[in-house]
Every structure is written in C-alpha cells, then in structure tokens.
Amino acid sequence: MNQYKIGYTTGVFDLFHVGHLNILKKAKENCEYLIVGVSTDELVMEYKSQQPVIPHNERMEIIAGIKYVDKVVSQTNRDKFTAWESLQFNRMFVGDDWKGDPLFNELEMKFKQVGVDIIYFPYTKGVSTSIVKEKIKL
C-alpha cells in the first residue's frame, strides 16, 4: 500500500499528449486516489495570455476518461494551498521545471507544516503542447 492516500496534480491538459498521460500515470503510481485540477479557460488566459485550443469542459471530460484519474476538479486559481484546504491531499505532483521556483519553495514550506510532500516529475522529452501546436502549423 502506498504511504500516501490522496494525490493532487494540476494542468491545462490542452491538446492532450503522451507527456500528460505519463504524468498522470506516475502520479497514480504514487498515491491511491488521484485528484486532477484542470485549469479553466479564464485562468489560462490570466497567466499564459493564451486561449486553450480545447475548451475547459472538454478537457475536463478527457481527463475524467483517463483510467489513472479518480476525480477531476476545475482549477480556478493557482493557489495550491487553498486547493489543499478544500481537497485534503497528502502529496502534490508537479513538473520539475517548477523546482526551485520561489513560488514552489514557499509552497514546499507551507505544505511541510501540514504534512504534504511535493513530488517533482520530469517532463517527457520532446513532447509538449507547444511542440504539438508547432507541428499542426506545418
């Protein structure tokens, strides 16, 4: 049995690709119950200044259909601690490009006080939504 029962990860999951699948699979391997937050279109516009190609409700449906995912929630803001207050997860999974970021350094300290670990996963090399978008332009 895993040491942690409830895991949490978030993302836009636009133009779903194998990198997304790998993150969800690895996350599920490290918890018993995986909750995935899918960023709303409004949130994506706010921090990426870009509208997702796939609408939020469809991205939610895609994630809900993945066998590794137990629950899907809307991510309406980037405040992970507020998400924890609501969802009470034990472990959070994040891409390793965030490791060392001041936002996540602070979050690591806050989560440590409540017994939540942040686990950083490497991204699948050569796969990203940006790369998919570039290929579509060809």
Side-chain angles (χ1 to χ4, degrees):
M1 181 177 285
N2 293 324
Q3 181 181 0
Y4 300 92
K5 289 186 172 185
I6 302 173
Y8 180 65
T9 193
T10 64
V12 178
F13 301 105
D14 198 18
L15 300 175
F16 194 85
H17 54 72
V18 73
H20 294 136
L21 186 64
N22 288 340
I23 286 174
L24 297 176
K25 182 179 180 184
K26 285 180 196 170
K28 182 63 176 186
E29 288 171 355
N30 286 278
C31 67
E32 296 170 347
Y33 189 85
L34 179 62
I35 302 170
V36 179
V38 177
S39 298
T40 62
D41 296 343
E42 295 79 12
L43 180 61
V44 176
M45 277 299 294
E46 185 181 307
Y47 75 91
K48 287 191 170 186
S49 300
Q50 211 173 31
Q51 186 75 21
V53 175
I54 309 294
H56 177 252
N57 63 325
E58 293 181 22
R59 290 182 283 118
M60 294 273 291
E61 280 187 53
I62 292 166
I63 298 303
I66 305 297
K67 69 179 182 181
Y68 308 115
V69 177
D70 296 296
K71 182 177 181 177
V72 181
V73 297
S74 290
Q75 179 178 234
T76 58
N77 64 60
R78 299 176 73 195
D79 185 343
K80 310 302 186 202
F81 200 79
T82 299
W84 171 80
E85 290 174 330
S86 170
L87 301 169
Q88 295 292 297
F89 48 85
N90 309 92
R91 193 173 242 194
M92 181 168 176
F93 308 105
V94 183
D96 63 0
D97 56 329
W98 289 102
K99 191 163 183 65
D101 182 277
L103 181 76
F104 274 86
N105 288 343
E106 181 183 333
L107 192 57
E108 282 181 25
M109 290 190 320
K110 287 175 80 173
F111 274 162
K112 189 174 184 176
Q113 294 173 354
V114 295
V116 175
D117 291 328
I118 298 179
I119 307 300
Y120 296 92
F121 290 143
Y123 276 106
T124 303
K125 291 182 180 179
V127 178
S128 73
T129 298
S130 299
I131 292 171
V132 172
K133 285 180 178 177
E134 281 301 312
K135 287 180 178 177
I136 291 171
K137 288 181 184 176
L138 295 176

